[in-house]
């Protein structure tokens, strides 16, 4: 093997939101080296340990190379034909009984990092026709999407901190030095935050834990978990009361300012202080600093969304951006203008349908739909509660809900009782071990890549396409074809439907939407001509080419032109010729053109959100002494699914209970000892790590651990399994506006084990 010629290829890392360019050295189908691509127009050579381990992920011997089908209680290797026959056999009768809602689907996080996963699950879901669609969104960013959806009209119109040009960044509930940024695509966050400070800017981090990001900041404010909305509303209170409101350039486009003033009056800095565990004077100063800073922005991430006031906190972050005149200006909070697939860059500029949630609700608890999904906290009860519409089968795609969603024990028990479960996943993990059929997609190196979602969240306008780095091995099936095959089966077309024809139909549906839209560069075009223009591409590449051509920099039916620096006319051919990406420039103001609200205005006080301030007021006076649990992330980890790589798994035990020395004394816990942690729903035993980096009254456990379940095949991970913190989190603890799980701020008791 050693004499195999080495080749170099460039591709975007699919492992987190930073979208770093990688330079990959290959010998045959072996990855011999991965480094940061110095010529990448966005990441300029930055890489983290996870990206560097892509070769190990690719070569992991535990990765499944063939489908598995359960026979006589055991999962055994099968051919694709056998596997799809088993799907049809087990799912068919359930669908034929006439209730489409009997089949649920759960979509996990890696779908967003995968072009196939962006474009083809929706084909399957449409064919399924079920309302029981769940995803990792509702244990993640859904509250932010609900808030910005109501304010700006589409679910990915998230104002991003313009970190490269701001003078003042107030960051809440985020630790980009571990996570590499989220709802904030910006490779090399450490470098960018350092640069902010070096040019005289100020970084303030609000986090119950003194994280590495907090250590880099000018100021760390150790807030009590779950009280960000109190803090932010009190800051708005100060800004309104001290006449510091200045909407700046968006002033003519804002609706609801008076309503916001009225709401802000309801919580004073003193009242918030008691909840947040922050001095009233600090809250006042934080508000004044924000208002006085030249170019400032507020940014919040998972600590602010996965909590019981998630939508309120997410909304208030942008309320502050607006009140201080920082929305949509350089150095403030800005919107990208992405090259493909952005709902706020298609259709009529400045006006749209807006976002309405709760168009239907979950059967058992009545939790609201948003973006055509139901909150995953409802999945267990939908499986367990008999009656019409009961979930009897589940399809998981790139997800591990058995570890990643609340009250995991209850969900696993529910899954065990399903009549049929199908997992599309490269690993036999804690979730897929319960499946009847496991359909493994090939490694990321075998597919093309384009970040449809993350370029909608990037601090520069960038477009970068990676073709497959390797030809598909024999016996492998591309993920989009797996999903199409499943779609054909649930659509009643059997197991041998013509996938090419089906895929052309998918392309024609997209083309139909574009040719019908007055603003599209393909308006009125003949669909056959469009198909001929993008031929001979098929699958996700064909859809991407259409999306790029119809996007704001698109070539329409013409040929591509221009590259870095000049106005581009994008096609996929053109992008393919630029392996290091195309820089489409820094973010520029987009209001009012990007708005898609029904009013055509920024809805500063959407009524459903405004009404929830009652609940915030009601919470004043709750017991601040209650011990609560939060999560955390580690740089060398990726939710639940990269603990199987020896290169990342080394070092000290990471799945520990972080606990402040004062609490450890009070509770009788010793560093290195074992603790028993109990919540309303569950109990675990875990190694104690005493550290003053965590605030008193708060303990922290990372999620994604607990790799000791029978039937999984994760050899390395099983050696140091850790424990599953989601045994403790509670399906009843939700942010009511979004139905998102409150994974942070969970009341717990802790005792020595
Ligand atoms: N307590 C607590 N719980 C949390 C969180 C927390 O902060 N605290 N965070 C939450 C968040 S933000 C998230 S996003 C969720 C994540 O929750 P999930 O998305 O449910 O879980 P992951 O751990 O990301 O597992 C992803 C699965 O996708 C598979 N996979 C990887 N690549 C591919 C691919 O290309 N195709 C397919 N088909 N499968 C693939 C992996 O093998 C793995 O099984 O966890 C949530 N859970
Ligand atoms: N290395 C690595 N990178 C990842 C992931 C990973 O697992 N590992 N996961 C990816 C995913 S799916 C996501 S969604 C992103 C998440 O990206 P981030 O949001 O940056 O993730 P965390 O590192 O969990 O940071 C959240 C912070 O919120 C704090 N926090 C908890 N509760 C509260 C609260 O009530 N208020 C406030 N103000 N802070 C609170 C925690 O102490 C923690 O420091 O990371 C992504 N990147
Ligand atoms: S920061 Fe994210 S995108 Fe960049 S190399 Fe690491 S995992 Fe990959
Ligand atoms: Mo996430």
């Amino acid at each position: 093997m050693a004499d195999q010629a080495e080749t170099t290829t460039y591709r975007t890392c699919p492992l987190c939101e930073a979208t770093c360019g990688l330079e990959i050295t290959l010998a045959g189908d072996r990855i011999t080296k991965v480094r940061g691509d110095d010529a990448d127009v966005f990441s300029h050579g930055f890489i983290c340990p996870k990206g560097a381990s892509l070769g190990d992920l690719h070569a992991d011997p535990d990765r499944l190379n063939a489908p598995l089908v359960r026979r006589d209680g055991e999962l055994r290797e099968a051919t694709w034909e056998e596997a799809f026959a088993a799907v049809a056999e087990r799912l068919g009768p359930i669908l034929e009984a006439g209730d489409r809602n009997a089949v649920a689907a759960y979509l996990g996080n890696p779908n967003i990092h995968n072009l196939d996963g962006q474009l083809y699950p929706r084909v399957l879901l449409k064919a399924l026709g079920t309302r029981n669609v769940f995803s990792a969104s509702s244990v993640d960013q859904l509250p932010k999407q609900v808030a910005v959806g109501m304010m700006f009209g589409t679910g990915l119109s998230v104002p991003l901190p313009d970190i490269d040009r701001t003078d003042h960044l107030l960051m809440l509930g985020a630790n980009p030095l571990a996570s590499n940024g989220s709802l904030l695509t910006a490779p090399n966050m450490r470098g960018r935050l350092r640069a902010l400070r070096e040019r005289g800017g100020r970084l303030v981090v609000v986090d119950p834990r003194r994280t590495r990001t907090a250590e880099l900041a000018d100021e760390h404010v150790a807030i009590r978990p779950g009280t960000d909305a109190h803090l932010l509303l009190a800051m708005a209170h100060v800004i309104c009361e001290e006449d510091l409101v200045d909407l700046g350039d968006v002033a003519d486009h804002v609706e609801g300012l008076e309503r916001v003033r009225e709401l802000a009056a309801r919580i004073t800095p003193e009242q918030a202080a008691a909840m947040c565990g922050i001095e009233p004077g600090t809250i006042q100063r934080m508000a004044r600093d924000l208002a006085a800073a030249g170019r400032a922005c507020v940014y919040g991430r998972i600590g602010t969304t996965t909590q019981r006031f998630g939508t309120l906190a997410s909304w208030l972050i942008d309320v502050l951006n607006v009140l201080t005149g920082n929305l949509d200006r350089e150095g403030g909070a800005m919107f990208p203008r992405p090259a493909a697939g952005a709902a706020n860059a298609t259709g009529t500029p400045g006006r749209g349908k807006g976002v309405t949630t709760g168009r239907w609700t979950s059967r058992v608890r009545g939790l609201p739909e948003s973006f055509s999904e139901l909150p995953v906290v409802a999945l267990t009860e939908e499986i367990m509660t008999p009656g019409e519409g009961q979930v009897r089968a589940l399809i998981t795609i790139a997800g591990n809900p058995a570890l990643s969603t609340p009250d995991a024990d209850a969900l696993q028990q529910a899954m065990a009782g399903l009549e049929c479960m199908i997992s599309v996943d490269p690993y036999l993990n804690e979730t897929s071990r319960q499946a009847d059929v496991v359909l493994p997609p090939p490694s990321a190196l075998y597919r093309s890549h384009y970040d449809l979602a993350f370029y909608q969240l990037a601090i520069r306008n960038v477009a970068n396409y990676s073709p497959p780095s390797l030809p598909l091995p024999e016996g492998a099936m591309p993920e989009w074809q797996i999903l199409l095959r499943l779609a054909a089966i649930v659509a009643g077309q059997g197991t041998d439907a013509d996938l090419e024809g089906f895929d052309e139909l998918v392309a024609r549906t997209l083309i139909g939407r574009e040719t019908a839209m007055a603003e599209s560069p393909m308006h009125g075009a003949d669909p056959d001509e469009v198909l001929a223009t993008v031929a001979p591409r098929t699958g996700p590449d064909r859809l991407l080419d259409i999306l790029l051509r119809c996007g704001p920099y698109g070539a329409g039916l013409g040929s591509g032109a221009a590259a870095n620096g000049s106005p581009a006319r994008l096609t996929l051919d053109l992008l393919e010729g630029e392996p290091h990406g195309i820089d489409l420039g820094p973010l520029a103001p987009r209001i009012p053109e990007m708005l898609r609200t029904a009013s055509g205005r920024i809805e500063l006080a959407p009524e459903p959100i405004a009404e929830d301030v009652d609940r915030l007021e009601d919470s004043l006076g709750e017991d601040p002494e209650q011990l609560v649990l939060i999560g955390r992330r580690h740089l060398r980890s990726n939710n639940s699914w990269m603990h199987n790589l020896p290169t990342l798994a080394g070092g000290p035990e990471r799945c520990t209970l972080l606990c402040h020395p004062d609490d450890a004394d009070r509770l009788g816990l010793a560093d290195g000892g074992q603790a028993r942690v109990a919540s309303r729903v569950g109990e675990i035993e875990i190694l104690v790590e005493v550290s003053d980096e965590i605030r008193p009254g708060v303990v922290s456990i990372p999620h994604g651990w607990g790799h000791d379940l029978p039937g999984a095949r994760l050899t390395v991970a099983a050696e140091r399994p850790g424990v599953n913190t989601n045994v403790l989190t509670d399906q009843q603890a939700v942010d009511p506006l979004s139905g998102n799980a409150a994974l942070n701020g969970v009341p717990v008791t802790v005792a020595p084990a």
Side-chain angles (χ1 to χ4, degrees):
M1 289 296 276
D3 56 358
Q4 232 164 348
E6 292 201 327
T7 53
T8 301
T9 173
Y10 298 93
R11 64 182 299 122
T12 305
C13 177
L15 297 175
C16 92
E17 299 179 37
T19 72
C20 300
L22 303 178
E23 184 186 289
I24 300 175
T25 312
L26 294 160
D29 66 355
R30 229 165 19 102
I31 298 183
T32 57
K33 195 164 74 187
V34 180
R35 53 189 298 278
D37 174 11
D38 294 329
D40 185 276
V41 297
F42 197 16
S43 61
H44 307 292
F46 179 80
I47 188 171
C48 85
K50 279 195 298 180
S53 75
L54 194 64
D56 301 295
L57 188 62
H58 177 72
D60 187 345
D62 279 340
R63 181 183 274 283
L64 303 175
N65 294 316
L68 303 175
V69 174
R70 190 173 299 280
R71 296 222 168 87
D72 308 320
E74 245 183 88
L75 280 170
R76 299 197 184 144
E77 276 200 11
T79 64
W80 289 100
E81 290 70 28
E82 289 164 344
F84 287 116
V87 170
E89 191 187 306
R90 293 169 204 205
L91 220 44
I94 298 173
L95 287 166
E96 276 153 29
D99 185 357
R100 308 298 291 186
N101 295 331
V103 183
Y106 173 87
L107 274 56
N109 168 281
N111 283 305
I112 323 294
H113 300 265
N114 174 354
L115 192 56
D116 298 17
Q118 288 275 288
L119 295 169
Y120 285 85
R122 64 178 78 162
V123 181
L124 170 58
L125 293 178
K126 195 162 171 233
L128 258 182
T130 176
R131 283 187 170 179
N132 283 312
V133 178
F134 305 91
S135 85
S137 290
S138 54
V139 281
D140 191 348
Q141 80 291 347
L142 195 56
K144 187 73 197 179
Q145 293 193 267
V146 167
V148 301
M150 289 182 179
M151 296 175 84
F152 308 111
T154 63
L156 275 182
S157 293
V158 180
L160 307 176
D162 188 11
I163 32 181
D164 292 349
R165 293 180 292 192
T166 195
D167 303 322
H168 184 108
L169 172 54
L170 172 60
M171 182 184 292
L172 304 101
N175 183 14
L177 263 60
S179 69
N180 275 303
S182 182
L183 299 185
L184 173 59
T185 286
N188 190 8
M189 279 297 292
R190 174 192 283 279
R192 290 178 201 273
L193 292 175
R194 274 203 184 136
L196 156 69
R197 294 202 55 208
E198 274 159 21
R199 63 176 183 266
R202 186 173 171 79
L203 172 65
V204 180
V205 170
V206 178
D207 196 305
R209 182 174 150 235
R210 194 178 64 245
T211 59
R212 286 175 63 208
T213 308
E215 272 169 5
L216 193 103
D218 296 272
E219 184 177 2
H220 169 215
V221 180
I223 193 171
R224 267 189 66 229
T227 64
D228 299 82
H230 303 81
L231 168 68
L232 295 164
L233 193 61
M235 287 177 66
H237 181 105
V238 175
I239 287 168
C240 291
E241 198 175 60
E242 299 187 0
D243 247 348
L244 302 173
V245 175
D246 173 5
L247 304 189
D249 290 346
V250 300
D252 289 344
H253 306 286
V254 174
E255 195 66 48
L257 178 59
E258 281 318 305
R259 183 81 166 113
V260 164
R261 286 185 190 276
E262 193 184 299
L263 297 168
R266 285 163 60 180
I267 290 190
T268 64
E270 290 71 21
Q271 287 172 313
M275 288 297 286
C276 305
I278 303 172
E279 290 300 313
T282 304
I283 298 177
Q284 282 159 342
R285 181 176 49 74
M286 286 169 74
R288 290 171 193 148
D289 285 355
L290 183 72
R295 304 181 295 180
C297 45
V298 190
Y299 160 72
R301 199 44 197 99
I302 200 138
T304 61
T305 54
T306 52
Q307 53 145 296
R308 65 188 174 128
F309 297 110
T311 304
L312 278 177
S314 299
W315 162 69
L316 285 164
I317 283 165
D318 292 320
V319 166
L320 286 181
N321 282 324
V322 171
L323 293 182
T324 54
N326 284 302
L327 186 80
D328 201 42
R329 75 146 155 185
E330 283 182 20
M334 305 193 74
F335 301 99
R337 190 165 173 263
N344 67 23
T346 187
T348 315
R351 200 176 280 274
K353 278 201 293 228
V355 168
T356 315
T357 62
R359 292 172 300 168
W360 56 87
T361 55
S362 67
R363 176 183 64 112
V364 178
R365 210 190 312 175
L367 288 169
E369 157 276 347
S370 29
F371 307 100
S372 304
E373 281 182 28
L374 290 169
V376 72
V377 291
L379 179 54
T380 303
E381 67 206 23
E382 293 299 331
I383 298 172
M384 296 303 286
T385 312
E388 210 190 308
Q390 180 179 7
V391 170
R392 296 162 57 197
L394 173 66
I395 304 175
T396 70
I397 307 169
N400 195 4
L403 291 192
S404 55
T405 69
D407 203 349
D409 281 348
L411 177 60
Q412 287 176 33
Q413 276 171 32
M415 289 196 302
L418 287 167
E419 288 166 43
C420 172
M421 184 171 154
I422 294 156
S423 291
V424 183
D425 204 288
Y427 282 107
L428 193 56
N429 65 10
E430 296 74 15
T431 297
S432 55
R433 77 189 171 107
Q434 290 192 281
D436 301 295
V437 182
V438 184
L439 304 166
S443 142
L445 276 288
Y446 297 115
R447 63 181 183 231
S448 54
H449 185 96
Y450 183 89
D451 280 299
L452 276 175
F454 298 122
Y455 292 145
Q456 302 189 43
L457 299 162
I459 59 147
R460 272 191 91 85
N461 293 314
V462 174
N464 197 340
Y465 169 79
S466 320
S469 306
L470 290 165
L472 204 65
E474 203 167 323
M477 188 167 184
E479 186 153 8
W480 64 274
Q481 290 181 15
I482 297 174
L483 296 171
L484 270 189
R485 179 63 74 207
L486 287 176
I489 292 171
V490 303
Q493 298 175 12
T495 54
D496 52 5
D498 162 28
L499 285 195
E500 250 175 62
F502 196 173
D503 189 44
E504 185 178 314
L505 203 67
V506 172
R508 281 187 185 275
T509 307
L510 175 61
I511 292 167
R513 220 173 39 230
E514 288 296 336
T515 53
M517 194 157 40
E519 297 80 9
S520 172
M522 290 193 183
H523 176 66
D526 172 0
D528 289 326
E529 190 194 343
V530 179
L531 272 182
T533 306
V534 295
R537 296 187 190 279
T538 60
D541 283 358
R542 172 162 59 189
L543 302 180
L544 176 61
D545 198 3
I546 297 166
L547 289 170
L548 283 165
R549 287 170 174 277
C550 295
Y553 317 84
L557 288 172
S559 56
N564 290 314
S566 48
R569 285 207 314 276
L570 295 185
T571 65
L572 192 49
D573 279 343
L574 186 85
L575 278 189
E576 232 179 326
E578 302 279 357
H580 312 289
I582 293 187
D583 181 20
L584 299 162
L587 305 192
R590 283 197 61 193
I591 284 180
E593 158 270 315
M594 59 71 60
L595 294 172
R596 293 294 183 278
T597 50
S599 61
R601 299 173 62 80
I602 299 168
E603 292 293 347
L604 198 60
E607 205 40 44
I609 301 182
E611 280 167 17
D612 201 33
V613 172
D614 289 352
R615 197 169 54 94
L616 197 69
E617 247 185 322
D618 290 345
S619 72
L620 295 171
E622 279 177 9
D623 175 16
E625 299 297 315
Q626 170 64 55
L627 187 66
V628 291
L629 170 70
I630 62 170
R632 66 176 188 272
R633 280 175 168 72
H634 192 282
L635 182 64
R636 304 174 77 87
S637 187
N638 197 11
N639 296 325
S640 76
W641 70 281
M642 284 178 68
H643 298 148
N644 206 48
L645 306 183
T647 40
L648 294 178
E653 178 67 43
R654 266 182 239 146
C655 185
T656 63
L657 178 85
L658 260 188
C659 174
H660 189 272
D662 293 354
D663 288 324
D665 280 351
R666 185 171 54 86
L667 299 165
L669 303 175
D671 187 63
Q674 289 281 320
R676 178 171 299 127
V677 187
S679 71
R680 190 186 76 85
V681 299
E683 195 176 292
I684 59 173
E685 277 188 24
I686 184 168
L687 182 70
V688 177
E689 186 179 345
V690 177
S691 164
D692 68 0
E693 74 188 41
I694 189 108
R695 183 187 200 289
V698 183
V699 290
S700 160
I701 305 176
H703 73 285
W705 296 90
H707 303 296
D708 51 0
L709 299 174
R713 193 188 301 162
L714 296 162
T715 316
V716 176
E719 285 167 18
R720 294 171 85 191
V723 282
N724 184 2
T725 189
N726 283 320
V727 167
L728 300 170
T729 53
D730 190 337
Q731 293 171 355
Q732 297 300 323
V734 295
D735 166 48
L737 282 173
S738 60
N740 201 86
L743 303 170
N744 285 305
V746 180
V748 288
T749 56
V750 181

